[in-house]
């Protein structure tokens, strides 16, 4: 599970989850200031979490899924 916190005044916040091959795995709109993203269905590997919003430039965080 990934926890994402965003500003309460962000009106068009979304996230994209991209695998190491550059393929878009998931995209969703972030509706709350605190969001929980279920990643239990993802295969082990490296992913990039890209958060886009209307207030700031996009943010990218590397995520490693390993069980």
């Amino acid at each position: 599970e990934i926890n994402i916190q965003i500003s309460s005044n962000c009106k068009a916040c979304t996230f994209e989850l991209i695998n190491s091959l550059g393929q878009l795995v998931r995209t969703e709109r972030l509706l709350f200031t605190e969001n929980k993203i279920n990643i239990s269905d993802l295969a082990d590997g490296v992913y990039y979490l890209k958060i886009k919003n209307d207030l700031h430039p996009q943010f990218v965080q590397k995520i490693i899924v390993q069980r």
Side-chain angles (χ1 to χ4, degrees):
E1 185 171 272
I2 300 172
N3 295 313
I4 302 174
Q5 293 182 332
I6 59 171
S7 170
S8 61
N9 57 358
C10 183
K11 303 298 182 219
C13 293
T14 60
F15 81 89
E16 294 178 347
L17 201 55
I18 300 164
N19 67 16
S20 60
L21 300 174
Q23 299 168 321
L24 182 63
V25 175
R26 186 178 303 155
T27 184
E28 291 181 27
R29 188 162 181 203
L30 299 170
L31 301 174
F32 308 103
T33 54
E34 294 188 24
N35 300 270
K36 294 180 187 254
I37 309 302
N38 184 353
I39 59 169
S40 64
D41 60 330
L42 297 179
D44 288 358
V46 176
Y47 297 85
Y48 297 92
L49 176 69
K50 185 186 293 186
I51 298 175
K52 299 178 177 183
N53 66 53
D54 56 348
L55 302 174
H56 305 287
Q58 67 186 15
F59 170 80
V60 179
Q61 176 70 44
K62 183 169 139 179
I63 306 288
I64 299 173
V65 175
Q66 184 176 6
R67 294 179 185 84

